């Protein structure tokens, strides 16, 4: 099935495995919160046990080798009027949501030490934003 939109998560490749998973999870939640229409129907197994709904389209995970590549993807998104979710290295040092927002707010955009961004937009727009990045391995 071809979707008109694409969900992309870009994660810096030099992070520890637990950090990558943490960042991807938080960023996917940002997309789900901003685009509730991307959430599918709840699941149930053959025994009738109900489960939560999931995002109903693939999420493509790209790797960015460094801070420069992360910043380039952010700027490409913003110039195309795509509002991304962001995760900065400073957020690993916080313990709650309000502190995460404070950590981001304390730094000018050009100085953000990004470790991940996520966005949902027209698939062709996403392709231009992530141009030059490879799927995360």
């Amino acid at each position: 099935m071809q979707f008109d939109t694409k969900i992309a998560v870009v994660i810096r490749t030099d992070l520890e495995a637990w950090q990558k998973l943490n960042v991807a999870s938080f960023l996917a939640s940002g997309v789900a919160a901003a685009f509730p229409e991307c959430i599918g129907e709840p699941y149930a197994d053959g025994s009738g046990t109900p489960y939560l709904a999931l995002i109903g389209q693939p999420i493509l995970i790209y790797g960015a080798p460094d801070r420069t590549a992360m910043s380039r993807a952010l700027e490409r998104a913003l110039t195309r009027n795509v509002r991304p979710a962001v995760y900065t290295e400073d957020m690993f040092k916080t313990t709650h949501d309000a502190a995460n927002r404070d950590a981001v707010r304390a730094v000018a955009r050009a100085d953000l030490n990004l470790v991940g961004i996520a966005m949902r937009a027209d698939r062709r727009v996403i392709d231009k934003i992530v141009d030059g990045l490879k799927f995360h391995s």
Side-chain angles (χ1 to χ4, degrees):
M1 171 179 232
Q2 177 107 14
F3 293 92
D4 292 335
T5 60
K6 188 180 278 190
I7 298 172
V9 175
V10 181
I11 298 178
R12 221 172 60 202
T13 57
D14 64 343
L15 301 177
E16 297 290 330
W18 73 267
Q19 291 174 315
K20 292 176 187 178
L21 295 170
N22 186 270
V23 170
S25 298
F26 275 106
L27 292 174
S29 74
V31 170
F35 299 98
E37 67 274 15
C38 76
I39 303 298
E41 295 297 318
Y43 287 74
D45 62 27
S47 301
T49 307
Y51 301 101
L52 297 175
L54 303 175
I55 290 175
Q57 71 182 95
I59 300 174
L60 303 170
I61 312 278
Y62 296 86
D66 53 31
R67 190 172 171 173
T68 301
M70 290 298 312
S71 294
R72 183 174 52 246
L74 176 63
E75 291 306 318
R76 286 177 176 176
L78 295 173
T79 60
R80 288 169 173 80
N81 296 316
V82 174
R83 190 168 119 193
V86 298
Y87 202 102
T88 69
E89 194 165 299
D90 292 335
M91 292 167 68
F92 289 128
K93 301 171 192 157
T94 64
T95 58
H96 56 87
D97 189 45
N100 285 344
R101 283 191 302 280
D102 290 343
V104 173
R105 187 177 14 257
V107 180
R109 183 172 80 219
D111 298 322
L112 289 172
N113 191 358
L114 293 169
V115 296
I117 63 172
M119 60 222 118
R120 179 178 184 255
D122 179 274
R123 59 187 173 83
R124 289 168 291 217
V125 171
I126 294 292
D127 289 343
K128 289 180 182 191
I129 294 168
V130 299
D131 185 48
L133 298 176
K134 296 183 174 159
F135 287 120
H136 201 294
S137 57

